[in-house]
Amino acid sequence: MNRTERMKFDVSPAFALAAALIYLLDEQGIFALAVVSAAVHELGHYLTLRAFGARPYLLRLEITGAAMYFDEGRLSYGRELLAALAGPLAGLLLAFAAAFCGAHALSGVSLLLSVFNLLPIGGLDGGRILYAALAMLTDQGRALRVCFVVTTLSAAAMLIIGIGLMIYVRSGGALVLAGAILLLRCIKN
């Protein structure tokens, strides 16, 4: 990417609405911590992609999170796996650094987002890692089929656990919402 080429940013209307609602309802300041954690996460992806010679050209904020688009043809499956891992790793490094500095709320938010992103669900980094690892070991078709099954089962489990938490401890609404969105996206694709 030369100096005149810049990565573009796009915000979906659903993300804008959800972010506004969360911001308005956030009495503890978690939203700002999540923004910092997400920015460090995406920076990890960006720097790794650039190091591998890939050109990120779009960062889109969607209801399910941020999605970075890049010229995928330049990456081997091994490099794709490392680029997917770089975001959660950057988030984990932030979590440990924040804990060391006494910023426990930032540490907790960053740790939670990083671990969540490592779930083997398509659309999350864990799903990309699973696909890249399987594609290195077998063919693309088989890797896609296995990822679809794992994604569907994981998203359904997240939804069921969230519903159980809502029934028994009156908590878990975010887990229900995340599971439902990921499951619907899986079914749609």
Side-chain angles (χ1 to χ4, degrees):
M1 180 176 350
N2 66 41
R3 291 179 187 223
T4 60
E5 295 179 50
R6 301 219 188 271
M7 187 164 66
K8 305 236 186 288
F9 295 92
D10 185 40
V11 178
S12 75
F15 177 87
L17 179 62
L21 284 172
I22 292 169
Y23 176 75
L24 289 172
L25 298 173
D26 180 23
E27 296 177 0
Q28 292 138 348
I30 301 297
F31 181 77
L33 300 176
V35 169
V36 169
S37 180
V40 169
H41 176 103
E42 294 305 322
L43 183 61
H45 289 310
Y46 179 82
L47 293 175
T48 304
L49 288 168
R50 294 296 292 148
F52 290 151
R55 185 181 70 84
Y57 59 87
L58 174 65
L59 179 65
R60 179 167 169 77
L61 302 179
E62 302 169 347
I63 189 71
T64 53
M68 189 173 295
Y69 297 89
F70 58 95
D71 51 344
E72 295 180 34
R74 298 185 59 120
L75 293 183
S76 66
Y77 289 126
R79 286 184 171 193
E80 185 175 335
L81 188 149
L82 292 174
L85 190 57
L89 181 59
L92 291 173
L93 290 173
L94 174 62
F96 291 123
F100 181 77
C101 295
H104 299 295
L106 176 59
S107 177
V109 168
S110 190
L111 180 64
L112 182 66
L113 289 176
S114 296
V115 170
F116 179 79
N117 254 292
L118 287 170
L119 292 174
I121 296 175
L124 299 178
D125 294 325
R128 289 180 48 216
I129 292 166
L130 178 63
Y131 171 76
L134 290 171
M136 284 191 295
L137 300 172
T138 184
D139 62 89
Q140 287 180 335
R142 183 171 292 154
L144 286 171
R145 288 189 300 275
V146 169
C147 286
F148 176 79
V149 170
V150 170
T151 292
T152 304
L153 293 175
S154 298
M158 186 184 304
L159 179 62
I160 291 167
I161 291 168
I163 291 169
L165 287 172
M166 286 182 72
I167 291 169
Y168 293 108
V169 295
R170 299 197 188 273
S171 180
L175 201 55
V176 169
L177 183 60
I181 289 170
L182 292 168
L183 189 57
L184 286 172
R185 191 168 81 186
C186 178
I187 292 168
K188 185 175 123 181
N189 292 335

